[in-house]
Each structure stands twice: as C-alpha cells, then as structure tokens.
Amino acid sequence: QGGNNAGHTVVVDGKEYDFHLFPSGIINPKAISFIGNGVVIHLPGLFEEAEKNEKKGLKDWEKRLIISDRAHIVFDFHQAVDGLQEVQRQAQEGKNIGTTKKGIGPTYSSKAARTGLRICDLLSDFDEFSSRFKNLAQQYKSMFPTLEIDVEGQLKKLKGYAEKIRPMVRDGVYFMYEALHGSPKKILVEGANAALLDIDFGTYPFVTSSNCTVGGVCTGLGVPPQHVGDVYGVVKAYTTRVGIGAFPTEQINEIGDLLQSRGHEWGVTTGRKRRCGWLDLVILKYAHMINGFTALALTKLDILDVLDEIKIGVAYKLGGKRIPYFP
C-alpha cells in the first residue's frame, strides 16, 4: 500500500540508499522485488528514484523488479490537486493534514470513485486509456478551476513509460500464488507508513489513504490470511511523527530537540523535521491489538544513551480515569 509518500533510508555496506516506491529488498541481487496492487505508482517518480540509486551503485534493478498489473497510477495532476487541496484546507479550516503532496490521497480517491486508471489500462489499448485519462483530467479541472493540465504532453510521457515498464509487469495475483505454492520461498512483506497512519485505525483525519496495518498484506497483494506468518512490528525506542495530529508524549523542549538531532529525524520524502517524544506504550499496545505482532524490532535505542533518565508513556486518562484502550 502507499506510494512515494513514504521514504525508507537503507544503509548497506556503508552505502546509503533512499527508497520510496522501490521495495527495500531491491538492493539484494538474490531477491525478487514486487510492487503489489495496493500500491499507487507515480511512474516519473519510480524512474527518478531508479536513477538516483543507480548513481549510488544499484545495478540491474529492472531484472529484479516486478510490478502488479492491478496497481493504480498516480498522475501529475493528482500531485497538483494534492497541493491545491492542502491550500484549500488551510484557508477553510485554518489547518491542513500535512500531506507529502505526492498525489497519494487524490489517487486513492480516484480508485474508490472507480475513475482511477491502473497499470493494466496503460499497457492495453492506449486509445481507450487516453480517453479515460482525458475524462479524469476534465473532472479535476471542473473541481479546481486554477488547475492546469498538459494532457497531450502527459499522455506522450506515459506512452514512453508504458514501454519501459512493460517487461516488468505481471498478473500480480497469479505471481503471488505461484510464490506461495511453488518451490519453497522466503517471502518478506514491507509496508509503507506506520500503524497510526492507517486510514481506518490511525489518528484520523491525520492519516494516509491506505491500510498500513497487517490487513494490507491480504488486500494489497492478494495473499490469503492463512499465509500470513510472523508479523514484525518495527518500533523506535522513542516516538516520532511527521506532520500534524495528536501526539501526547511529544516533547517540545530540549529533550525533543535532542532526539530530533541525535536521531537524524527528518522525513525522507519531505525533508520536514520529525516531531519527537518519549515512547508511547499505549499506541504500541494499540498497534499490537490490530496487527498481532509475533516480534518487535526495536530501533534507535542508542539515541537514548546520553540521557540519565528516560520516560515512557504508560496510560491515558479520560475524565480522570485510566482507560485500557487507545481512544
């Protein structure tokens, strides 16, 4: 799920890579990387990311990357609309959501409205694709009169991308079925974003537009629930958040500054400073209620090394009473 709104910094053999759409496993020459149907793909972003990482030494990625034919496409106008919606929210409500302006929300909106276009549409009849693309562009122009869209220019670029990705595209459902039932394979699924950004279970409306909890494995790849084995929760030794939204353990003081600077807490996608605070066990337990972790991967414990004392959020009070859940 998700798109190039999420960012993962991966360091291997002293080399630092930034991934947004690429699965982190793309570095491993022995692994096949697969982008599932739940992901929304901005094609210019994908190739820009490829180019950046090729300069850092990533080789032959196109031989190891498979893309689901059912993944939805993020268009440039989705990204423009994302920015316009944020400006609108700021003007109307005095606050925005703090999106990455990568067009993720508008693309999932198109998907839910059944006007979206998928990789399979791009690779089949291009005339049919073009007319649907024009209709979608027209819908957005009627909603946002200031929006300018170079329809012909975008279609020309998309036609070029279609040929570049064609060899990588497969029927994603059958691909996963074969991976699960063919010769034994180790399958690792990587989700973008965090549990508290989940569209259903996160701190709505300050969330992303997809299910970044474990259910996304089933819906975003077509993997039946009985095939989900171990679930690893990745958690920092302190809590961070990019953008606005509730954050009870946040430290807007020298502790927060220390965590931010020592932990290099910058959003990989936006370059925004991450808000930092003490570890919140209430949200960690809540994430566990939903995902049923079989193990935790605790990261960044060393960032706390310089502190004589560390604090941990253990409970929330509502109306003076402790509550056993995340409200």
Side-chain angles (χ1 to χ4, degrees), residues 260-291:
Q260 202 276 325
S261 59
R262 265 183 72 87
H264 302 289
E265 296 295 349
W266 302 93
V268 182
T269 302
T270 55
R272 287 181 291 190
K273 271 187 179 185
R274 292 199 184 108
R275 297 159 60 193
C276 300
W278 299 117
L279 180 62
D280 185 332
L281 286 185
V282 179
I283 57 177
L284 185 53
K285 285 177 176 170
Y286 174 69
H288 176 57
M289 287 176 199
I290 297 160
N291 294 293

Side-chain angles (χ1 to χ4, degrees), residues 177-187:
Y177 179 81
E178 284 197 299
L180 290 163
H181 298 277
S183 58
K185 287 180 178 59
K186 287 185 174 142
I187 300 172

Side-chain angles (χ1 to χ4, degrees), residues 63-84:
K63 292 179 186 153
R64 300 193 294 276
L65 184 67
I66 291 174
I67 298 171
S68 170
D69 58 346
R70 290 164 170 82
H72 276 253
I73 304 170
V74 180
F75 297 118
D76 290 351
F77 61 71
H78 281 130
Q79 297 198 335
V81 163
D82 202 351
L84 290 172

